[in-house]
Amino acid sequence: MVQDQIVARGISDKRVIEAMLKIPRHLFVQEAFAAQAYSDKALPIGEKQTISQPYIVALMTEKLALTGSEKVLEIGTGSGYQTSLLATLADRVYSAERIRPLALSARKCLDSLKLFNVQLRINDSGGSPIGWEEEAPFDAIIVTAGAPEIPAILTDQLAPGGRLVIPVGTEAEQMLVTIYKNEEGELFQEPSVPCRFVPLIGKQGWHE
Ligand code: SAH
């Protein structure tokens, strides 16, 4: 998987490649799909949600440019696969998920890999805003669900020099966008590839 789908398609960050070699993706998919865990596709993880395609996971992670010292926020824990890569590549990870059974299952996977630098939060209370204000600012923020626009609440929680990676577009298709905040607090946007994520639900996203 890593050679054919990640390296061959241009991912070059050595730390990202090493982390993807280390984390067993089959742990994060349902047993019925375990045989397909290393193919280049998104797979169901229950609750009508999906684990993202490995290439997109690698690309988003590379865009975060993690060196090991960062405090990272993730919106959409899902299976916990992306979370486990972040936990391997950064100092501390805060990850929020709105579907309780997914968060509980992700916790088990993270524990089994002895990744103890992750705090999970379940925000299943309807209208609560996304983000994690008490722990802001973050050096890197990743949203793994499609949003209609870039949420200001997240760029506000980005540290100077920080990066936010988020799929932005319609419910059917999005563009992966990286937002950089410079030391003066100015924001710069860089679109990369078209992608297709499950919708971000709530105030900054779509109706359920
Ligand atoms: N990164 C995940 C992908 C999960 S799919 C993985 O590697 O498996 C996106 C997830 O975002 C879903 O689990 C969905 O429930 C969650 N989600 C959608 N809207 C959310 C919100 N407002 N807050 C937190 N999680 C949300």
Side-chain angles (χ1 to χ4, degrees):
M1 172 185 99
V2 174
Q3 187 55 46
D4 295 352
Q5 301 161 32
I6 310 296
V7 179
R9 290 179 71 182
I11 302 296
S12 61
D13 183 328
K14 285 205 171 59
R15 296 184 74 243
V16 173
I17 295 165
E18 271 166 32
M20 291 196 76
L21 286 169
K22 202 160 103 186
I23 304 294
R25 190 168 182 257
H26 70 267
L27 282 188
F28 297 87
V29 304
Q30 294 176 319
E31 232 167 275
F33 296 97
Q36 298 174 56
Y38 298 97
S39 59
D40 191 23
K41 37 181 182 183
L43 292 170
I45 54 173
E47 311 284 341
K48 292 194 258 166
Q49 307 302 321
T50 52
I51 180 173
S52 309
Q53 182 193 352
Y55 170 67
I56 294 290
V57 172
L59 184 62
M60 291 177 88
T61 311
E62 185 169 70
K63 297 274 178 208
L64 294 177
L66 301 172
T67 63
S69 60
E70 294 83 4
K71 186 174 185 184
V72 182
L73 172 67
E74 177 186 39
I75 307 295
T77 316
S79 67
Y81 177 63
Q82 172 77 71
T83 323
S84 70
L85 292 169
L86 300 172
T88 306
L89 292 166
D91 181 36
R92 275 170 297 160
V93 180
Y94 296 79
S95 183
E97 170 56 52
R98 59 182 285 277
I99 301 178
R100 183 171 295 268
L102 292 180
L104 298 179
S105 159
R107 172 92 278 160
K108 280 194 197 141
C109 291
L110 291 163
D111 285 351
S112 75
L113 294 171
K114 300 195 164 46
L115 295 170
F116 300 123
N117 56 342
V118 180
Q119 291 222 38
L120 296 185
R121 174 150 95 178
I122 301 166
N123 55 322
D124 54 0
S125 59
S128 57
I130 56 171
W132 201 313
E133 204 170 2
E134 312 86 278
E135 291 296 340
F138 297 95
D139 304 300
I141 303 180
I142 178 169
V143 181
T144 62
E149 53 192 34
I150 298 162
I153 195 165
L154 291 186
T155 51
D156 285 351
Q157 293 182 20
L158 208 50
R163 287 75 70 195
L164 161 65
V165 179
I166 180 168
V168 183
T170 65
E171 275 187 273
E173 201 190 23
Q174 306 90 35
M175 182 61 87
L176 200 61
V177 181
T178 308
I179 295 102
Y180 300 92
K181 186 184 260 190
N182 70 11
E183 297 299 329
E184 285 72 49
E186 294 166 311
L187 300 173
F188 299 89
Q189 276 187 44
E190 181 194 86
S192 46
V193 298
C195 54
R196 205 188 158 151
F197 277 78
V198 296
L200 180 75
I201 302 295
K203 260 190 188 157
Q204 287 75 30
W206 306 93
H207 291 297
E208 204 167 344

